[in-house]
Amino acid sequence: MWDVIEAPILWQGAWVTVQLTLYSAALAFALAFPFGLAGISRHAWVRAIGRFYVEVFRGLPALVLMFWFFYSLPLAGLRLETLFAGVAALGLNYGAYGAEVVRGALKAVPKTQFEAAVALNLRPAQRVRRVLLPQAVPLMLPTFGNQLVELMKATAIVSLISISDLMFRAQQLRSSTGEGAAVFLVILVMYFVIAQAMLLLVRYLERRSERTLGRVRAEGAAR
């Protein structure tokens, strides 16, 4: 068991898993906010674009999407790096779920807050940045935390296109040592530890955002 725990290739694989999670999460969040904002737009064509993205990529399995990027695009002359194919598939898929989280949180902000921003003659971008988002972000964070953990666990599929993540390295170690039970027990614990570290970060951000929201509301009441 200790030989498995101390195996360098598992720790290398864990680092690749963390990197994949961070890159995919960054792409997912970068997509979630503009498409979530599109979902509450006053313009029907903007809402239609947001809905199209959400419905398409929320309805596609990340695994099939990754295979399509990695195996099908080269047939059209476009070859993607394995890491990019994995990040793109996961980011596009989870970005669609995140867009719905953003849209729902923005719609949950009381309408009176939006009306107050209009009364203060704030421009649309200012209304979003200074009024809606500060109140919506604390509502988003718990769900984003869950999605981040789900995204981290979903990175295990990238081993199928030979990215040397934790799962891929575990399969290598199992083949070379024959200690399948010990190897998979160790990586279960490693995935759990990574998930808990991410949840601790999200909870810290939740506390920070709640304190900020308290100040925003206090300033609004003072006015």
Side-chain angles (χ1 to χ4, degrees), residues 10 13-14 17 153 155-160 163-173 183-184 187 191:
L10 283 188
T17 291
K153 293 187 291 186
T155 60
I157 66 173
V158 302
S159 62
L160 298 175
I163 296 178
S164 55
D165 71 323
L166 186 54
M167 176 61 74
F168 184 83
R169 294 298 193 181
Q171 293 283 15
Q172 286 184 323
L173 191 60
V183 169
F184 287 115
I187 68 165
Y191 274 116

mmCIF file of all heavy atoms in Angstrom, residues 10 13-14 17 153 155-160 163-173 183-184 187 191:
data_model
loop_
_atom_site.group_PDB
_atom_site.id
_atom_site.type_symbol
_atom_site.label_atom_id
_atom_site.label_comp_id
_atom_site.label_asym_id
_atom_site.label_seq_id
_atom_site.Cartn_x
_atom_site.Cartn_y
_atom_site.Cartn_z
ATOM 1 N N LEU A 10 1.494 8.689 -9.604
ATOM 2 C CA LEU A 10 0.172 9.063 -9.096
ATOM 3 C C LEU A 10 0.124 10.543 -8.751
ATOM 4 O O LEU A 10 -0.856 11.240 -9.034
ATOM 5 C CB LEU A 10 -0.203 8.228 -7.876
ATOM 6 C CG LEU A 10 -0.677 6.797 -8.124
ATOM 7 C CD1 LEU A 10 -1.199 6.182 -6.832
ATOM 8 C CD2 LEU A 10 -1.767 6.750 -9.190
ATOM 9 N N GLY A 13 -0.019 12.477 -11.876
ATOM 10 C CA GLY A 13 -1.377 12.414 -12.412
ATOM 11 C C GLY A 13 -2.336 13.313 -11.652
ATOM 12 O O GLY A 13 -3.214 13.951 -12.246
ATOM 13 N N ALA A 14 -2.174 13.392 -10.324
ATOM 14 C CA ALA A 14 -3.030 14.266 -9.523
ATOM 15 C C ALA A 14 -2.840 15.721 -9.911
ATOM 16 O O ALA A 14 -3.808 16.492 -9.987
ATOM 17 C CB ALA A 14 -2.730 14.065 -8.037
ATOM 18 N N THR A 17 -4.660 16.360 -13.074
ATOM 19 C CA THR A 17 -6.096 16.448 -12.799
ATOM 20 C C THR A 17 -6.466 17.823 -12.265
ATOM 21 O O THR A 17 -7.473 18.415 -12.672
ATOM 22 C CB THR A 17 -6.515 15.355 -11.795
ATOM 23 O OG1 THR A 17 -6.417 14.072 -12.429
ATOM 24 C CG2 THR A 17 -7.943 15.560 -11.311
ATOM 25 N N LYS A 153 -14.401 15.547 -10.907
ATOM 26 C CA LYS A 153 -14.605 14.103 -11.054
ATOM 27 C C LYS A 153 -14.748 13.708 -12.522
ATOM 28 O O LYS A 153 -14.303 12.633 -12.935
ATOM 29 C CB LYS A 153 -15.835 13.670 -10.250
ATOM 30 C CG LYS A 153 -15.651 13.814 -8.748
ATOM 31 C CD LYS A 153 -16.809 13.221 -7.968
ATOM 32 C CE LYS A 153 -18.072 14.024 -8.134
ATOM 33 N NZ LYS A 153 -19.175 13.530 -7.258
ATOM 34 N N THR A 155 -13.183 14.895 -14.951
ATOM 35 C CA THR A 155 -11.895 14.885 -15.663
ATOM 36 C C THR A 155 -11.358 13.475 -15.855
ATOM 37 O O THR A 155 -10.464 13.273 -16.692
ATOM 38 C CB THR A 155 -10.842 15.729 -14.923
ATOM 39 O OG1 THR A 155 -10.637 15.198 -13.603
ATOM 40 C CG2 THR A 155 -11.255 17.188 -14.824
ATOM 41 N N ALA A 156 -11.872 12.508 -15.107
ATOM 42 C CA ALA A 156 -11.394 11.130 -15.256
ATOM 43 C C ALA A 156 -11.608 10.590 -16.673
ATOM 44 O O ALA A 156 -10.896 9.680 -17.103
ATOM 45 C CB ALA A 156 -12.082 10.223 -14.237
ATOM 46 N N ILE A 157 -12.562 11.184 -17.417
ATOM 47 C CA ILE A 157 -12.830 10.668 -18.765
ATOM 48 C C ILE A 157 -11.692 10.978 -19.726
ATOM 49 O O ILE A 157 -11.566 10.328 -20.761
ATOM 50 C CB ILE A 157 -14.154 11.214 -19.330
ATOM 51 C CG1 ILE A 157 -14.077 12.726 -19.571
ATOM 52 C CG2 ILE A 157 -15.324 10.852 -18.428
ATOM 53 C CD1 ILE A 157 -15.291 13.306 -20.287
ATOM 54 N N VAL A 158 -10.850 11.982 -19.394
ATOM 55 C CA VAL A 158 -9.793 12.356 -20.351
ATOM 56 C C VAL A 158 -8.740 11.266 -20.472
ATOM 57 O O VAL A 158 -7.956 11.265 -21.428
ATOM 58 C CB VAL A 158 -9.127 13.703 -19.972
ATOM 59 C CG1 VAL A 158 -10.162 14.816 -19.897
ATOM 60 C CG2 VAL A 158 -8.336 13.602 -18.684
ATOM 61 N N SER A 159 -8.713 10.327 -19.530
ATOM 62 C CA SER A 159 -7.761 9.217 -19.642
ATOM 63 C C SER A 159 -8.032 8.389 -20.896
ATOM 64 O O SER A 159 -7.130 7.696 -21.394
ATOM 65 C CB SER A 159 -7.837 8.325 -18.405
ATOM 66 O OG SER A 159 -9.128 7.742 -18.277
ATOM 67 N N LEU A 160 -9.261 8.474 -21.423
ATOM 68 C CA LEU A 160 -9.624 7.691 -22.605
ATOM 69 C C LEU A 160 -8.981 8.219 -23.878
ATOM 70 O O LEU A 160 -8.992 7.540 -24.906
ATOM 71 C CB LEU A 160 -11.150 7.653 -22.755
ATOM 72 C CG LEU A 160 -11.895 6.982 -21.597
ATOM 73 C CD1 LEU A 160 -13.399 7.112 -21.778
ATOM 74 C CD2 LEU A 160 -11.505 5.506 -21.490
ATOM 75 N N ILE A 163 -4.617 11.310 -21.962
ATOM 76 C CA ILE A 163 -4.067 12.395 -21.142
ATOM 77 C C ILE A 163 -3.647 11.777 -19.820
ATOM 78 O O ILE A 163 -4.419 11.051 -19.175
ATOM 79 C CB ILE A 163 -5.096 13.516 -20.926
ATOM 80 C CG1 ILE A 163 -5.441 14.178 -22.261
ATOM 81 C CG2 ILE A 163 -4.558 14.557 -19.949
ATOM 82 C CD1 ILE A 163 -6.483 15.263 -22.163
ATOM 83 N N SER A 164 -2.435 12.087 -19.370
ATOM 84 C CA SER A 164 -1.878 11.389 -18.205
ATOM 85 C C SER A 164 -2.376 11.980 -16.896
ATOM 86 O O SER A 164 -1.605 12.480 -16.079
ATOM 87 C CB SER A 164 -0.348 11.417 -18.259
ATOM 88 O OG SER A 164 0.112 12.757 -18.378
ATOM 89 N N ASP A 165 -3.707 11.958 -16.691
ATOM 90 C CA ASP A 165 -4.286 12.441 -15.444
ATOM 91 C C ASP A 165 -4.207 11.348 -14.383
ATOM 92 O O ASP A 165 -3.551 10.313 -14.575
ATOM 93 C CB ASP A 165 -5.735 12.868 -15.673
ATOM 94 C CG ASP A 165 -6.649 11.677 -15.918
ATOM 95 O OD1 ASP A 165 -6.208 10.709 -16.583
ATOM 96 O OD2 ASP A 165 -7.793 11.697 -15.447
ATOM 97 N N LEU A 166 -4.876 11.564 -13.272
ATOM 98 C CA LEU A 166 -4.805 10.611 -12.163
ATOM 99 C C LEU A 166 -5.333 9.236 -12.557
ATOM 100 O O LEU A 166 -4.727 8.206 -12.221
ATOM 101 C CB LEU A 166 -5.589 11.172 -10.966
ATOM 102 C CG LEU A 166 -5.522 10.385 -9.660
ATOM 103 C CD1 LEU A 166 -4.089 10.146 -9.216
ATOM 104 C CD2 LEU A 166 -6.307 11.123 -8.565
ATOM 105 N N MET A 167 -6.433 9.193 -13.267
ATOM 106 C CA MET A 167 -6.994 7.908 -13.676
ATOM 107 C C MET A 167 -6.058 7.180 -14.653
ATOM 108 O O MET A 167 -5.842 5.966 -14.544
ATOM 109 C CB MET A 167 -8.365 8.120 -14.320
ATOM 110 C CG MET A 167 -9.002 6.847 -14.868
ATOM 111 S SD MET A 167 -9.280 5.589 -13.578
ATOM 112 C CE MET A 167 -10.686 6.324 -12.729
ATOM 113 N N PHE A 168 -5.495 7.900 -15.607
ATOM 114 C CA PHE A 168 -4.587 7.283 -16.570
ATOM 115 C C PHE A 168 -3.363 6.706 -15.869
ATOM 116 O O PHE A 168 -2.933 5.582 -16.150
ATOM 117 C CB PHE A 168 -4.160 8.333 -17.601
ATOM 118 C CG PHE A 168 -3.306 7.799 -18.712
ATOM 119 C CD1 PHE A 168 -3.867 7.186 -19.813
ATOM 120 C CD2 PHE A 168 -1.919 7.919 -18.651
ATOM 121 C CE1 PHE A 168 -3.067 6.697 -20.838
ATOM 122 C CE2 PHE A 168 -1.108 7.432 -19.673
ATOM 123 C CZ PHE A 168 -1.696 6.818 -20.772
ATOM 124 N N ARG A 169 -2.788 7.477 -14.934
ATOM 125 C CA ARG A 169 -1.622 7.004 -14.190
ATOM 126 C C ARG A 169 -1.975 5.817 -13.305
ATOM 127 O O ARG A 169 -1.164 4.889 -13.128
ATOM 128 C CB ARG A 169 -1.055 8.135 -13.344
ATOM 129 C CG ARG A 169 -0.473 9.295 -14.142
ATOM 130 C CD ARG A 169 0.687 8.850 -15.004
ATOM 131 N NE ARG A 169 1.438 9.992 -15.526
ATOM 132 C CZ ARG A 169 2.479 9.883 -16.322
ATOM 133 N NH1 ARG A 169 2.909 8.697 -16.726
ATOM 134 N NH2 ARG A 169 3.115 10.959 -16.748
ATOM 135 N N ALA A 170 -3.179 5.817 -12.763
ATOM 136 C CA ALA A 170 -3.608 4.684 -11.936
ATOM 137 C C ALA A 170 -3.686 3.404 -12.761
ATOM 138 O O ALA A 170 -3.281 2.325 -12.302
ATOM 139 C CB ALA A 170 -4.961 4.991 -11.299
ATOM 140 N N GLN A 171 -4.197 3.543 -13.980
ATOM 141 C CA GLN A 171 -4.269 2.367 -14.854
ATOM 142 C C GLN A 171 -2.870 1.860 -15.189
ATOM 143 O O GLN A 171 -2.631 0.642 -15.235
ATOM 144 C CB GLN A 171 -5.018 2.738 -16.143
ATOM 145 C CG GLN A 171 -6.488 3.067 -15.952
ATOM 146 C CD GLN A 171 -7.349 1.818 -15.759
ATOM 147 O OE1 GLN A 171 -6.853 0.731 -15.491
ATOM 148 N NE2 GLN A 171 -8.655 1.991 -15.903
ATOM 149 N N GLN A 172 -1.933 2.774 -15.421
ATOM 150 C CA GLN A 172 -0.550 2.369 -15.682
ATOM 151 C C GLN A 172 0.039 1.632 -14.483
ATOM 152 O O GLN A 172 0.700 0.597 -14.640
ATOM 153 C CB GLN A 172 0.302 3.596 -16.013
ATOM 154 C CG GLN A 172 0.071 4.191 -17.383
ATOM 155 C CD GLN A 172 1.024 5.342 -17.657
ATOM 156 O OE1 GLN A 172 1.339 6.126 -16.756
ATOM 157 N NE2 GLN A 172 1.497 5.451 -18.888
ATOM 158 N N LEU A 173 -0.180 2.197 -13.288
ATOM 159 C CA LEU A 173 0.379 1.587 -12.082
ATOM 160 C C LEU A 173 -0.254 0.234 -11.806
ATOM 161 O O LEU A 173 0.423 -0.709 -11.396
ATOM 162 C CB LEU A 173 0.171 2.531 -10.902
ATOM 163 C CG LEU A 173 0.911 2.188 -9.611
ATOM 164 C CD1 LEU A 173 2.426 2.159 -9.832
ATOM 165 C CD2 LEU A 173 0.560 3.180 -8.507
ATOM 166 N N VAL A 183 -4.397 0.404 -5.658
ATOM 167 C CA VAL A 183 -4.255 1.593 -6.505
ATOM 168 C C VAL A 183 -5.550 2.387 -6.538
ATOM 169 O O VAL A 183 -5.560 3.614 -6.328
ATOM 170 C CB VAL A 183 -3.831 1.187 -7.936
ATOM 171 C CG1 VAL A 183 -3.954 2.378 -8.886
ATOM 172 C CG2 VAL A 183 -2.410 0.654 -7.944
ATOM 173 N N PHE A 184 -6.667 1.710 -6.759
ATOM 174 C CA PHE A 184 -7.923 2.442 -6.882
ATOM 175 C C PHE A 184 -8.419 2.952 -5.532
ATOM 176 O O PHE A 184 -9.109 3.976 -5.467
ATOM 177 C CB PHE A 184 -8.977 1.574 -7.571
ATOM 178 C CG PHE A 184 -8.710 1.404 -9.041
ATOM 179 C CD1 PHE A 184 -8.406 0.162 -9.574
ATOM 180 C CD2 PHE A 184 -8.726 2.498 -9.894
ATOM 181 C CE1 PHE A 184 -8.137 0.009 -10.914
ATOM 182 C CE2 PHE A 184 -8.456 2.361 -11.246
ATOM 183 C CZ PHE A 184 -8.168 1.109 -11.760
ATOM 184 N N ILE A 187 -6.443 6.252 -5.182
ATOM 185 C CA ILE A 187 -6.909 7.386 -5.998
ATOM 186 C C ILE A 187 -8.305 7.843 -5.567
ATOM 187 O O ILE A 187 -8.639 9.024 -5.728
ATOM 188 C CB ILE A 187 -6.860 7.086 -7.514
ATOM 189 C CG1 ILE A 187 -7.882 6.027 -7.919
ATOM 190 C CG2 ILE A 187 -5.472 6.712 -7.949
ATOM 191 C CD1 ILE A 187 -8.102 5.978 -9.428
ATOM 192 N N TYR A 191 -8.884 11.747 -4.973
ATOM 193 C CA TYR A 191 -9.988 12.532 -5.543
ATOM 194 C C TYR A 191 -10.791 13.214 -4.429
ATOM 195 O O TYR A 191 -11.189 14.373 -4.556
ATOM 196 C CB TYR A 191 -10.912 11.633 -6.365
ATOM 197 C CG TYR A 191 -10.478 11.431 -7.801
ATOM 198 C CD1 TYR A 191 -10.125 10.168 -8.262
ATOM 199 C CD2 TYR A 191 -10.434 12.494 -8.693
ATOM 200 C CE1 TYR A 191 -9.726 9.973 -9.584
ATOM 201 C CE2 TYR A 191 -10.052 12.304 -10.013
ATOM 202 C CZ TYR A 191 -9.695 11.042 -10.451
ATOM 203 O OH TYR A 191 -9.307 10.861 -11.761
#
